[in-house]
Amino acid sequence: LLAALGALLMSLDSAINIVLPAMADAFSVDAAAIRWVIICYVLTYAFTAFAAGVLADRLGPGPVFTAALWLCGATFLGYLVAPSYGTVLLLRAAQGFGGGLVYGTAPALVTLSLPPERHGRGLGLMSLGLGVGLGIGPLLGGVLLEHWGWSSTFIFRAPLFLALAIMAQSQTRRLNSARPGPQQRPAL
């Protein structure tokens, strides 16, 4: 459930595509410059997702996943006070770092915490969370933009991530036990 909720919250980033024109207007940047809102996130996310697996092998996926949730929650709070376009880009890079850690550890969290016969169901639930977030993100982005402005598409996720981080933290013992043993570790 934690992995599915993490995937859901991360995939709600699809709401950002709707607000890019409003962000460009707010910061007086052109279309070429506003693309960096996406690029900063995607680049850090892509590199971090791979590194998350290595971290999870060493520390366990639970602690890495939980730290990622805290990082994402704090990053989304940062949009409350983002004074400039440069700050938004830094927040997007931090968000990508956290997102890569979430996506990079969620499948391991599922497979290591469930018996093998339930792996398919667990991974399916995680994928459902991902799909739901991608599907409702643009609609939600449009509603938030219309009523509260572009920054609301980031800020609304802060309490959701922080609540999920608290849930994950409360499951620390169980999450820490979801760790590959020597026979489960891939050969490097």
Side-chain angles (χ1 to χ4, degrees), residues 73-93:
T75 300
F76 287 121
L77 284 175
Y79 289 99
L80 283 167
V81 293
S84 67
Y85 182 63
T87 303
V88 168
L89 295 180
L90 288 174
L91 288 168
R92 286 295 281 173

Side-chain angles (χ1 to χ4, degrees), residues 1-2 5 162-172 175:
L1 181 62
L2 290 173
L5 291 173
L162 296 173
L164 189 56
I166 291 168
M167 275 178 51
Q169 195 76 41
S170 72
Q171 298 291 321
T172 299
L175 294 178

Side-chain angles (χ1 to χ4, degrees), residues 73-149:
T75 300
F76 287 121
L77 284 175
Y79 289 99
L80 283 167
V81 293
S84 67
Y85 182 63
T87 303
V88 168
L89 295 180
L90 288 174
L91 288 168
R92 286 295 281 173
Q95 185 187 339
F97 185 79
L101 293 176
V102 168
Y103 282 138
T105 56
L109 197 61
V110 169
T111 59
L112 293 171
S113 63
L114 293 173
E117 64 273 6
R118 294 192 53 211
H119 286 179
R121 177 182 280 176
L123 291 169
L125 182 62
M126 186 191 80
S127 296
L128 176 64
L130 177 70
V132 167
L134 288 171
I136 66 171
L139 175 63
L140 189 56
V143 170
L144 290 168
L145 174 64
E146 183 178 336
H147 294 288
W148 295 285

